[in-house]
Amino acid sequence: QLRPYFKLVVYGLAVIFAVEVLCGMYSAALIDLATLLPASILLKQDVGQLVRNLVPVSMLSSLNLVWQVVMLLGLLSKPPGPGNFFKLECKVADPEHPTESHYVNLCSASTLVGHMAVCSSVVLQLLCARVAWRMAKSMRQALWTSALLNVELPAHRQAPSSETQGFTPYAGPAYHLGGD
């Protein structure tokens, strides 16, 4: 039931990856690619391999989520800063000419779209980790319950009688292994 949501998250991550590459946010795109490749391969696998590989993909996506948050905090700490993070134009004093009143525009349409893509990537990495974990949990629970339903519990078994199996227990004297 969660597979269509997982597929949607992976496709969204692919779109965000392409946007980050086009905007020049290569380090953020590589982090997304590290989740995108295993997740897209996972979509093509059968149920047995899907169950085995969902937990590692969830863990990888969680780790990449942490890296994307660190990258986002790094972007917010550098100029133009958090106040100009979503602006098309932001004039900042030129660091190469600190004494002159020379300003440089550090923002453009590509940086705005790139910043939005990095924020979207954080959300999609979180969704990928969460949906993969929920899928793994529900599939393992379904496999466990189906395995329990197919196996007879020992309390419900009847002890086999010796007449039905053709076995007669030995009724003679006890056999001792020693030479006595």
Side-chain angles (χ1 to χ4, degrees), residues 51-89:
V51 171
R52 269 191 304 255
N53 296 328
L54 274 170
V55 173
V57 167
S58 176
M59 292 172 58
L60 180 65
S61 182
S62 300
L63 180 66
N64 289 338
L65 168 68
V66 171
W67 284 114
Q68 284 290 37
V69 168
V70 167
M71 169 149 316
L72 184 62
L73 291 175
L75 287 173
L76 287 170
S77 68
K78 292 190 274 184
N84 298 321
F85 197 69
F86 291 118
K87 292 186 178 176
L88 281 173
E89 189 173 308

Side-chain angles (χ1 to χ4, degrees), residues 158-162 164-165:
Q158 295 179 354
S161 64
S162 60
T164 59
Q165 292 183 354

Side-chain angles (χ1 to χ4, degrees), residues 4 18 27-28 30 44 66 69 86 88 109 114 124 136 141 144 149 154 163 168 177:
S27 53
L30 284 175
K44 296 178 187 320
V66 171
V69 168
F86 291 118
L88 281 173
L124 286 173
Q141 184 178 7
W144 179 253
L149 291 176
E163 293 84 25
T168 307
L177 293 176

Side-chain angles (χ1 to χ4, degrees), residues 80-137:
N84 298 321
F85 197 69
F86 291 118
K87 292 186 178 176
L88 281 173
E89 189 173 308
C90 52
K91 304 269 184 188
V92 178
D94 189 7
E96 295 178 8
H97 304 88
T99 56
E100 301 174 15
S101 60
H102 189 260
Y103 292 97
V104 177
N105 186 13
L106 294 179
C107 300
S108 67
S110 67
T111 58
L112 173 67
V113 173
H115 290 164
M116 288 174 30
V118 170
C119 292
S120 299
S121 173
V122 168
V123 172
L124 286 173
Q125 292 279 2
L126 176 67
L127 286 174
C128 185
R130 188 174 183 328
V131 171
W133 181 256
R134 286 181 61 201
M135 281 175 64
K137 190 175 167 185

